[in-house]
Amino acid sequence: MSEPRQQTILDQLGGLSGLVYSTLPILAFVPANSIWGLAPAVWIALGVAAAILVWRIVRRGPIQPAISGFLGVGVCAFIAYRTGDAKGYFLFGIYTSLAYAGVFVISILARWPLVGVIWGYLNGHRNAWRAHPVAVRAYDIATLAWALVFAARFVVQNRLYDADQTGWLAFARIAMGWPLTGVVLLVTVWAVRRADRAVEPAPDPAEISGIAAGEDGGNSTVDGAGASGGAESDRDT
């Protein structure tokens, strides 16, 4: 029986389709706000997020990212409605990026890089990687890459928010969303493979030679026993 496939970090984000779907409520919100105003735009964004959730359920795909996305759109829409300004829709994402950047940096300083913690939980190795400096350094690099992405999102989008550039804010949210996520995922894949090689090193060639020699010795013994048996049989005859 084949082992179940391990979930990757991309799987946890809903796959490539999940990254693309996450931009649809924003693409609907901004033009709707320009045409019909804030209140209809809020409901349209919520409707798009709900449609994505229903689509995931019907297709029997992973729904956890869709549920998280729907709740996130709900929070963003609520903030925009309460502030009475379309740019308020992006406020939650801006400060969430800041919080994530801080958490990722703190995890590096504490020598518990989050990428390693998350991947150790997913692949069942738990904290075995912490005994291997090469693995720790690889996870440090991947965690730092995520921290830089979150920090860049905060800096750029916070400036656009302060400048009341709602249109450019939406563009930055999308452009710094799944494209940057794709880049940092490549760094994460490299780190994970490097760390896995350190935690599970290739077999020692000497051990392989020893095993092979043992097998050859066993075969020689069997062959010798067979030959002796044949000789005794001939003498009896």
Side-chain angles (χ1 to χ4, degrees), residues 140-155:
D140 279 342
I141 293 172
T143 302
L144 179 60
W146 282 98
L148 290 174
V149 167
F150 288 126
R153 288 174 180 171
F154 170 75
V155 171

Side-chain angles (χ1 to χ4, degrees), residues 68-84:
S68 301
F70 178 77
L71 294 176
V73 170
V75 172
C76 294
F78 176 76
I79 294 174
Y81 181 77
R82 292 294 296 175
T83 59

Side-chain angles (χ1 to χ4, degrees), residues 103-118 126-130 136 139-140 143:
V103 170
F104 274 68
V105 169
I106 290 172
S107 74
I108 295 172
L109 297 177
R111 307 305 297 155
W112 282 85
L114 267 182
V115 172
V117 174
I118 294 170
R126 301 299 177 181
N127 301 324
W129 54 271
R130 299 199 72 245
V136 174
Y139 286 136
D140 279 342
T143 302

